[in-house]
Structure formats: structure tokens, C-alpha cells
Amino acid sequence: MEYVIIIIYALVMAYRWEKVPCHNRFKIPYYLLFISCILLFGLRYRVGVDTLNYMYSYGEKPDLSKLTMDYIITSNEAPFYSLLNSVCKSISSSFYLLQIAVTIIFNSCLFVFLKRHSSNPFLAFAIFFFMNGLYFNTEILKESLAVGIFLVNIDNLFKQRWLKYYLLATVSLMFHYSAIIVFVFPFFTWLRLNWTFVGLIVVFFWGSKMLADWLIPMITFASAANLIDRYTLMLEQERLNINWIIFALLQAVLIPLGMLIVSRHSKWKLGKYESLICLCVLLGAGCVYFELVFQRFTNYVSIIYAACLADFFVSHDVKKLFKTAALSAFIVIYTFSYITHDRIFLWIPYHSIFNEVKEPAREDIWFDQFGRTD
């Protein structure tokens, strides 16, 4: 129910945004939405399976007085995330301080980005929240920080301010190593919807399968072991069949590719975002066979995709037929993704730190995936 209230509020304000010409009136509602997210996710209790992992490991982190360069170098975590843990640990031994800090940093970056880069930030937020809001705020805390820094860095990419861009890209990398992908983004700004791009889709689609078949047997480090086991199990159970491939393509490729086609053949244009939406399609094609790697990379363009999709829905230059088809596909695809494989139990029911209840279904998923209990 808590999540539904957030989405309904955002959608109501998105509707009013389109009807009221003076957008200065929406500063307070926008701040209220931001504060609601901070309270919802910053004060959650054991919501999200990876949140349980972060809670488990937080107790082992050193505070600033015990933090050493050797620890930072040998740690499996990126340096800035280790430092943030130690700063929070020095203030309080409670994990919730770190949880609140990460929530504030990521959502601050998110809301600034949406305000600057979407014609309707409330709708863009609602779309992102339905797509990946729970995932970003509860499952990938380290990477969400890296993604957040990239969001505020994107203007440097568009304006080709390369020194600033790579400095902030390094900051992203220091929070999560998957941010290595943002270092190559400038080399793909030429991407457009053409036959070369279609060829690249095929290369990413089949290349990801060959990469997975070659690379997975060679990966042995513990942090990836669970994901590799899950991928191998899917192969053994023949879940990577034609149905999986079709659904994965629909979820990761269909809608952004449709936006590219409409942008090419109508008055509505993606403009400077076109290359990033092209990357969204390419990385999505890679997810079909090698989600272990490409899923991480798609996180860096998924919020941009949400902002562009919001612009697509509110534009008067897009035919209602295209909007209806895209909206229907979006709702069906992402609703199905929530209800399959008990994914929804990662986040429902919601509990706060003022009502500390361990949810048995979520605890069981944690044990099944990571062999941990608390």
C-alpha cells in the first residue's frame, strides 16, 4: 500500500503538471515527493533481500579509527563505499544511518536529474518507480550511488566537458566498479537508429551468449558465485528457452526500440538522448543471455529511459495509438516481471524501523539465495 500511495500521488501531480501552465507552483509538491521517498526507503526495516546482506556485512565494517589503506585496497567493495560505511559506523553502529545516507544521496541525484531532464518530472518519477524504484532503493545500494553520480554528470557528457565528465565518472567508479561502463559512453554518442545500429543489436544479442558460455566457467570470486549458480540452474532447468528470450526482449528492447522508431518517423524527437536510448537497447539485448553482466550496465541508462518515456507519453507530437500501445506493453511487461518467481515478496509487505517485523517469506528467500540467517 505504501508504494501505491507514492505512485498515485506522483500520477495525480503529473496530471496537474500538464494542466497548470505555471510550474513554479509545483516546488512544494515535488519536495514532498522527495521527502516521502526518503522516509519510505530510509526508514524501512529488512525490506529487500540485498538490504539484508548490507545489514549483515555492516557489523563487520571498521569505523574511521580502524580503517586502513590495506583494508580499502583488499576489500571487495569500492573505496568510497567502504569510506562511507566507516563514516557512518563512526557515528552509529546502527545500519539505519547508512541506509538513510544512501537513500538521501541517490534520491537527491534522481530528483535533480528528473527536474532538469524531463518535461514532466512527476510522470518520469512514477515510471521509474514502477520500473526500478524498489530495486534501486533496496537491492543495489552501492550501485545506486554510482548511478546517482552519473545522473548529475550527464550534462558534462552532453556538453562534451570531458575533464569534468571523467572526474565524476571516477567518483562513480569509486562507489561501484560497474561504473566502468560510463567511461565508454562518450565513444557511443554517434549511435542512431540505422542499419549499423541494427547490426549491433544482433552482435550484442548473440555475443552475450558466447561471452556467457566462455566467461562464466572462469569466474570463481565469491561475490559472483551465487549469481553464476542461478544462471547455471536456469540452463539446467531449460528456463533460458524461447519464452524467456521473448519476454527478455520485450522487457529490455521493445519499448525503447519503439521510441527510437517513432522519433525517426515523427515530429517527436529524442534529440540528445537518442544515443543513450540506443545504448539502452544494446545493453538490453545483452541481458537476454548474460544478465549477470549486462543488467548492471543497463542500470546506468534505465532512469534516462524512464525520463524519455515520460516525454513520449505527454508529447502532442506522438499519436495516441502509439502511446496506448507503449503504455499497455509497459504495464503488462513490468507487472508480469513483479509477479513471476515470487519477486514481489522482496518488497511486500513493507515494515519500518518503528515496527520491526521479520517477514518469513523474505527471510526464506535470503536463506535460499545466500545461505544466511539473522
Side-chain angles (χ1 to χ4, degrees):
M1 179 59 70
E2 293 83 1
Y3 310 130
V4 175
I5 292 173
I6 291 283
I7 291 180
I8 291 176
Y9 174 77
L11 289 175
V12 169
M13 298 312 302
Y15 176 79
R16 292 194 59 204
W17 179 279
E18 293 300 312
K19 297 299 180 181
V20 179
C22 183
H23 290 164
N24 287 332
R25 299 179 182 179
F26 290 88
K27 288 183 178 179
I28 293 179
Y30 199 60
Y31 287 135
L32 286 176
L33 184 61
F34 169 72
I35 292 171
S36 298
C37 285
I38 300 302
L39 295 177
L40 180 69
F41 294 113
L43 301 180
R44 70 186 186 277
Y45 179 74
R46 301 179 75 87
V47 176
V49 170
D50 269 348
T51 289
L52 301 181
N53 284 328
Y54 290 119
M55 294 177 69
Y56 183 87
S57 62
Y58 184 73
E60 302 172 354
K61 297 292 190 296
D63 59 28
L64 280 176
S65 65
K66 299 177 182 177
L67 183 66
T68 64
M69 185 59 66
D70 182 65
Y71 176 85
I72 293 176
I73 294 174
T74 59
S75 174
N76 290 329
E77 294 169 338
F80 283 6
Y81 183 75
S82 294
L83 181 61
L84 179 62
N85 269 266
S86 294
V87 170
C88 292
K89 193 71 175 288
S90 297
I91 300 173
S92 172
S93 59
S94 172
F95 168 77
Y96 304 117
L97 179 61
L98 174 66
Q99 182 172 274
I100 292 171
V102 172
T103 302
I104 291 174
I105 295 171
F106 169 68
N107 284 281
S108 296
C109 296
L110 171 68
F111 276 75
V112 168
F113 169 80
L114 294 180
K115 187 66 181 298
R116 290 177 180 174
H117 293 275
S118 176
S119 59
N120 190 322
F122 289 100
L123 181 58
F125 171 83
I127 291 172
F128 162 72
F129 193 93
F130 187 64
M131 283 173 52
N132 284 322
L134 303 179
Y135 175 67
F136 270 81
N137 279 287
T138 67
E139 300 292 336
I140 55 168
L141 304 193
K142 293 181 290 186
E143 191 173 6
S144 69
L145 295 172
V147 172
I149 299 300
F150 171 67
L151 291 178
V152 299
N153 191 22
I154 196 169
D155 284 325
N156 293 320
L157 175 64
F158 292 146
K159 296 178 181 179
Q160 299 184 358
R161 297 185 296 217
W162 301 127
L163 179 59
K164 290 183 179 180
Y165 177 79
Y166 279 108
L167 284 174
L168 284 176
T170 302
V171 174
S172 288
L173 186 66
M174 292 298 99
F175 276 114
H176 198 276
Y177 294 130
S178 65
I180 191 68
I181 189 66
V182 305
F183 282 79
V184 304
F185 280 180
F187 301 99
F188 287 90
T189 54
W190 56 270
L191 283 175
R192 296 294 184 271
L193 180 61
N194 50 38
W195 288 111
T196 301
F197 174 65
V198 173
L200 285 174
I201 295 176
V202 176
V203 169
F204 271 72
F205 178 73
W206 289 112
S208 65
K209 184 179 188 305
M210 291 186 288
L211 182 63
D213 292 341
W214 171 72
L215 189 59
I216 282 183
M218 300 170 57
I219 300 176
T220 57
F221 47 89
S223 60
N226 178 65
L227 291 173
I228 295 170
D229 289 343
R230 287 163 58 187
Y231 177 86
T232 305
L233 182 61
M234 291 176 71
L235 290 175
E236 293 173 349
Q237 295 178 343
E238 296 184 349
R239 282 170 53 196
L240 283 179
N241 53 27
I242 188 62
N243 293 329
W244 163 270
I245 293 171
I246 291 173
F247 176 73
L249 286 172
L250 289 175
Q251 183 177 25
V253 176
L254 174 66
I255 298 178
L257 183 58
M259 291 168 58
L260 287 167
I261 295 172
V262 172
S263 176
R264 178 70 179 271
H265 298 286
S266 74
K267 293 181 180 179
W268 178 76
K269 301 298 179 184
L270 281 164
K272 61 186 177 182
Y273 304 102
E274 184 173 359
S275 63
L276 292 174
I277 299 302
C278 286
L279 274 172
C280 185
V281 172
L282 294 179
L283 295 172
C287 282
V288 174
Y289 279 113
F290 204 3
E291 191 177 19
L292 173 64
V293 170
F294 286 93
Q295 173 70 52
R296 289 291 187 183
F297 294 154
T298 60
N299 292 333
Y300 290 87
V301 291
S302 64
I303 298 175
I304 299 161
Y305 162 45
C308 290
L309 188 56
D311 294 347
F312 177 87
F313 286 139
V314 301
S315 174
H316 297 294
D317 294 325
V318 180
K319 293 181 179 180
K320 288 186 178 180
L321 176 63
F322 296 150
K323 292 182 182 180
T324 302
L327 180 60
S328 301
F330 175 80
I331 292 175
V332 170
I333 290 169
Y334 282 94
T335 299
F336 183 77
S337 72
Y338 278 116
I339 63 177
T340 54
H341 309 306
D342 297 329
R343 188 166 178 251
I344 194 64
F345 293 114
L346 301 177
W347 308 295
I348 292 179
Y350 174 88
H351 300 294
S352 76
I353 61 175
F354 305 109
N355 179 31
E356 297 186 352
V357 176
K358 288 186 178 182
E359 188 57 36
R362 195 149 48 229
E363 302 291 327
D364 289 342
I365 294 173
W366 186 38
F367 178 78
D368 291 341
Q369 291 188 5
F370 300 97
R372 291 176 174 174
T373 58
D374 187 8

